[in-house]
PDB file of all heavy atoms in Angstrom:
ATOM      1  N   MET H1580     -32.683 -30.498   6.044  1.00 98.00           N
ATOM      2  CA  MET H1580     -33.154 -31.428   7.106  1.00 98.00           C
ATOM      3  C   MET H1580     -32.327 -32.681   7.115  1.00 98.00           C
ATOM      4  O   MET H1580     -31.808 -33.131   6.079  1.00 98.00           O
ATOM      5  CB  MET H1580     -34.588 -31.816   6.834  1.00 98.00           C
ATOM      6  CG  MET H1580     -35.574 -30.634   6.780  1.00 98.00           C
ATOM      7  SD  MET H1580     -37.324 -31.212   7.001  1.00 98.00           S
ATOM      8  CE  MET H1580     -38.106 -30.264   5.782  1.00 98.00           C
ATOM      9  N   ARG H1581     -32.231 -33.322   8.290  1.00 98.00           N
ATOM     10  CA  ARG H1581     -31.718 -34.621   8.413  1.00 98.00           C
ATOM     11  C   ARG H1581     -32.882 -35.583   8.569  1.00 98.00           C
ATOM     12  O   ARG H1581     -33.963 -35.174   8.974  1.00 98.00           O
ATOM     13  CB  ARG H1581     -30.846 -34.731   9.655  1.00 98.00           C
ATOM     14  CG  ARG H1581     -29.398 -34.834   9.459  1.00 98.00           C
ATOM     15  CD  ARG H1581     -28.677 -34.924  10.840  1.00 98.00           C
ATOM     16  NE  ARG H1581     -27.707 -33.785  10.953  1.00 98.00           N
ATOM     17  CZ  ARG H1581     -26.548 -33.738  10.338  1.00 98.00           C
ATOM     18  NH1 ARG H1581     -26.154 -34.738   9.566  1.00 98.00           N
ATOM     19  NH2 ARG H1581     -25.796 -32.681  10.500  1.00 98.00           N
ATOM     20  N   VAL H1582     -32.601 -36.933   8.351  1.00 98.00           N
ATOM     21  CA  VAL H1582     -33.569 -37.943   8.575  1.00 98.00           C
ATOM     22  C   VAL H1582     -33.283 -38.435   9.953  1.00 98.00           C
ATOM     23  O   VAL H1582     -32.113 -38.639  10.372  1.00 98.00           O
ATOM     24  CB  VAL H1582     -33.457 -39.108   7.494  1.00 98.00           C
ATOM     25  CG1 VAL H1582     -34.368 -40.245   7.879  1.00 98.00           C
ATOM     26  CG2 VAL H1582     -33.709 -38.564   6.147  1.00 98.00           C
ATOM     27  N   TYR H1583     -34.375 -38.646  10.766  1.00 98.00           N
ATOM     28  CA  TYR H1583     -34.216 -39.203  12.092  1.00 98.00           C
ATOM     29  C   TYR H1583     -35.146 -40.339  12.307  1.00 98.00           C
ATOM     30  O   TYR H1583     -36.204 -40.455  11.655  1.00 98.00           O
ATOM     31  CB  TYR H1583     -34.630 -38.153  13.192  1.00 98.00           C
ATOM     32  CG  TYR H1583     -33.684 -36.957  13.197  1.00 98.00           C
ATOM     33  CD1 TYR H1583     -33.906 -35.820  12.391  1.00 98.00           C
ATOM     34  CD2 TYR H1583     -32.655 -36.936  14.101  1.00 98.00           C
ATOM     35  CE1 TYR H1583     -33.102 -34.734  12.427  1.00 98.00           C
ATOM     36  CE2 TYR H1583     -31.798 -35.822  14.144  1.00 98.00           C
ATOM     37  CZ  TYR H1583     -32.049 -34.730  13.341  1.00 98.00           C
ATOM     38  OH  TYR H1583     -31.193 -33.610  13.394  1.00 98.00           O
ATOM     39  N   SER H1584     -34.771 -41.248  13.237  1.00 98.00           N
ATOM     40  CA  SER H1584     -35.752 -42.291  13.632  1.00 98.00           C
ATOM     41  C   SER H1584     -35.507 -42.660  15.105  1.00 98.00           C
ATOM     42  O   SER H1584     -34.382 -42.509  15.548  1.00 98.00           O
ATOM     43  CB  SER H1584     -35.517 -43.530  12.749  1.00 98.00           C
ATOM     44  OG  SER H1584     -36.493 -44.463  13.041  1.00 98.00           O
ATOM     45  N   SER H1585     -36.566 -43.016  15.773  1.00 98.00           N
ATOM     46  CA  SER H1585     -36.422 -43.377  17.163  1.00 98.00           C
ATOM     47  C   SER H1585     -37.459 -44.328  17.631  1.00 98.00           C
ATOM     48  O   SER H1585     -38.563 -44.440  16.934  1.00 98.00           O
ATOM     49  CB  SER H1585     -36.424 -42.060  18.045  1.00 98.00           C
ATOM     50  OG  SER H1585     -37.664 -41.419  17.775  1.00 98.00           O
ATOM     51  N   LEU H1586     -37.212 -44.995  18.700  1.00 98.00           N
ATOM     52  CA  LEU H1586     -38.222 -45.806  19.359  1.00 98.00           C
ATOM     53  C   LEU H1586     -38.152 -45.434  20.813  1.00 98.00           C
ATOM     54  O   LEU H1586     -37.145 -45.493  21.435  1.00 98.00           O
ATOM     55  CB  LEU H1586     -37.815 -47.333  19.144  1.00 98.00           C
ATOM     56  CG  LEU H1586     -38.704 -48.324  19.958  1.00 98.00           C
ATOM     57  CD1 LEU H1586     -40.196 -48.188  19.703  1.00 98.00           C
ATOM     58  CD2 LEU H1586     -38.225 -49.751  19.679  1.00 98.00           C
ATOM     59  N   TRP H1587     -39.327 -44.916  21.286  1.00 98.00           N
ATOM     60  CA  TRP H1587     -39.388 -44.485  22.709  1.00 98.00           C
ATOM     61  C   TRP H1587     -40.728 -44.719  23.353  1.00 98.00           C
ATOM     62  O   TRP H1587     -41.657 -45.149  22.778  1.00 98.00           O
ATOM     63  CB  TRP H1587     -38.993 -42.974  22.691  1.00 98.00           C
ATOM     64  CG  TRP H1587     -39.771 -42.091  21.754  1.00 98.00           C
ATOM     65  CD1 TRP H1587     -39.694 -42.100  20.416  1.00 98.00           C
ATOM     66  CD2 TRP H1587     -40.704 -41.059  22.068  1.00 98.00           C
ATOM     67  NE1 TRP H1587     -40.510 -41.150  19.888  1.00 98.00           N
ATOM     68  CE2 TRP H1587     -41.161 -40.516  20.864  1.00 98.00           C
ATOM     69  CE3 TRP H1587     -41.194 -40.575  23.378  1.00 98.00           C
ATOM     70  CZ2 TRP H1587     -42.109 -39.455  20.906  1.00 98.00           C
ATOM     71  CZ3 TRP H1587     -42.108 -39.503  23.251  1.00 98.00           C
ATOM     72  CH2 TRP H1587     -42.516 -39.016  22.072  1.00 98.00           C
ATOM     73  N   ASN H1588     -40.746 -44.489  24.684  1.00 98.00           N
ATOM     74  CA  ASN H1588     -41.946 -44.677  25.462  1.00 98.00           C
ATOM     75  C   ASN H1588     -42.781 -43.445  25.430  1.00 98.00           C
ATOM     76  O   ASN H1588     -42.306 -42.349  25.897  1.00 98.00           O
ATOM     77  CB  ASN H1588     -41.593 -45.093  26.837  1.00 98.00           C
ATOM     78  CG  ASN H1588     -42.853 -45.263  27.703  1.00 98.00           C
ATOM     79  OD1 ASN H1588     -43.813 -45.891  27.282  1.00 98.00           O
ATOM     80  ND2 ASN H1588     -42.826 -44.694  28.924  1.00 98.00           N
ATOM     81  N   ALA H1589     -44.066 -43.548  24.982  1.00 98.00           N
ATOM     82  CA  ALA H1589     -44.931 -42.335  25.113  1.00 98.00           C
ATOM     83  C   ALA H1589     -46.292 -42.761  25.646  1.00 98.00           C
ATOM     84  O   ALA H1589     -47.371 -42.440  25.108  1.00 98.00           O
ATOM     85  CB  ALA H1589     -45.070 -41.764  23.698  1.00 98.00           C
ATOM     86  N   ASP H1590     -46.233 -43.620  26.701  1.00 98.00           N
ATOM     87  CA  ASP H1590     -47.522 -44.175  27.167  1.00 98.00           C
ATOM     88  C   ASP H1590     -48.427 -43.154  27.885  1.00 98.00           C
ATOM     89  O   ASP H1590     -49.568 -43.467  28.334  1.00 98.00           O
ATOM     90  CB  ASP H1590     -47.313 -45.432  27.953  1.00 98.00           C
ATOM     91  CG  ASP H1590     -46.657 -45.276  29.293  1.00 98.00           C
ATOM     92  OD1 ASP H1590     -46.335 -44.151  29.610  1.00 98.00           O
ATOM     93  OD2 ASP H1590     -46.468 -46.305  29.947  1.00 98.00           O
ATOM     94  N   ASP H1591     -47.983 -41.940  27.947  1.00 97.00           N
ATOM     95  CA  ASP H1591     -48.840 -40.849  28.504  1.00 97.00           C
ATOM     96  C   ASP H1591     -49.824 -40.367  27.421  1.00 97.00           C
ATOM     97  O   ASP H1591     -50.805 -39.736  27.731  1.00 97.00           O
ATOM     98  CB  ASP H1591     -48.015 -39.672  29.068  1.00 97.00           C
ATOM     99  CG  ASP H1591     -47.055 -39.115  28.086  1.00 97.00           C
ATOM    100  OD1 ASP H1591     -46.539 -39.891  27.177  1.00 97.00           O
ATOM    101  OD2 ASP H1591     -46.748 -37.924  28.170  1.00 97.00           O
ATOM    102  N   TRP H1592     -49.643 -40.696  26.078  1.00 96.00           N
ATOM    103  CA  TRP H1592     -50.554 -40.319  25.091  1.00 96.00           C
ATOM    104  C   TRP H1592     -50.757 -41.231  23.896  1.00 96.00           C
ATOM    105  O   TRP H1592     -51.786 -41.160  23.216  1.00 96.00           O
ATOM    106  CB  TRP H1592     -50.201 -38.918  24.556  1.00 96.00           C
ATOM    107  CG  TRP H1592     -48.819 -38.872  23.865  1.00 96.00           C
ATOM    108  CD1 TRP H1592     -47.665 -38.575  24.496  1.00 96.00           C
ATOM    109  CD2 TRP H1592     -48.521 -39.056  22.482  1.00 96.00           C
ATOM    110  NE1 TRP H1592     -46.622 -38.640  23.585  1.00 96.00           N
ATOM    111  CE2 TRP H1592     -47.131 -38.947  22.299  1.00 96.00           C
ATOM    112  CE3 TRP H1592     -49.301 -39.429  21.386  1.00 96.00           C
ATOM    113  CZ2 TRP H1592     -46.528 -39.131  21.102  1.00 96.00           C
ATOM    114  CZ3 TRP H1592     -48.609 -39.609  20.149  1.00 96.00           C
ATOM    115  CH2 TRP H1592     -47.212 -39.421  20.011  1.00 96.00           C
ATOM    116  N   ALA H1593     -49.839 -42.111  23.691  1.00 97.00           N
ATOM    117  CA  ALA H1593     -49.794 -42.859  22.395  1.00 97.00           C
ATOM    118  C   ALA H1593     -50.991 -43.740  22.143  1.00 97.00           C
ATOM    119  O   ALA H1593     -51.659 -43.723  21.069  1.00 97.00           O
ATOM    120  CB  ALA H1593     -48.525 -43.616  22.211  1.00 97.00           C
ATOM    121  N   THR H1594     -51.347 -44.603  23.123  1.00 97.00           N
ATOM    122  CA  THR H1594     -52.270 -45.618  22.794  1.00 97.00           C
ATOM    123  C   THR H1594     -53.619 -45.325  23.497  1.00 97.00           C
ATOM    124  O   THR H1594     -53.688 -45.235  24.702  1.00 97.00           O
ATOM    125  CB  THR H1594     -51.807 -46.969  23.262  1.00 97.00           C
ATOM    126  OG1 THR H1594     -50.502 -47.194  22.687  1.00 97.00           O
ATOM    127  CG2 THR H1594     -52.731 -48.118  22.811  1.00 97.00           C
ATOM    128  N   ARG H1595     -54.674 -45.197  22.671  1.00 97.00           N
ATOM    129  CA  ARG H1595     -55.966 -44.766  23.078  1.00 97.00           C
ATOM    130  C   ARG H1595     -55.851 -43.522  24.013  1.00 97.00           C
ATOM    131  O   ARG H1595     -56.407 -43.420  25.046  1.00 97.00           O
ATOM    132  CB  ARG H1595     -56.685 -45.868  23.850  1.00 97.00           C
ATOM    133  CG  ARG H1595     -56.979 -47.073  22.808  1.00 97.00           C
ATOM    134  CD  ARG H1595     -57.741 -48.191  23.448  1.00 97.00           C
ATOM    135  NE  ARG H1595     -59.024 -47.805  23.911  1.00 97.00           N
ATOM    136  CZ  ARG H1595     -59.677 -48.467  24.909  1.00 97.00           C
ATOM    137  NH1 ARG H1595     -59.198 -49.609  25.410  1.00 97.00           N
ATOM    138  NH2 ARG H1595     -60.853 -48.053  25.252  1.00 97.00           N
TER     139      ARG H1595
END
Side-chain angles (χ1 to χ4, degrees):
M1580 303 197 220
R1581 251 180 240 284
V1582 175
Y1583 295 86
S1584 186
S1585 57
L1586 171 57
W1587 51 292
N1588 178 45
D1590 67 1
D1591 53 333
W1592 60 272
T1594 308
R1595 297 182 59 201

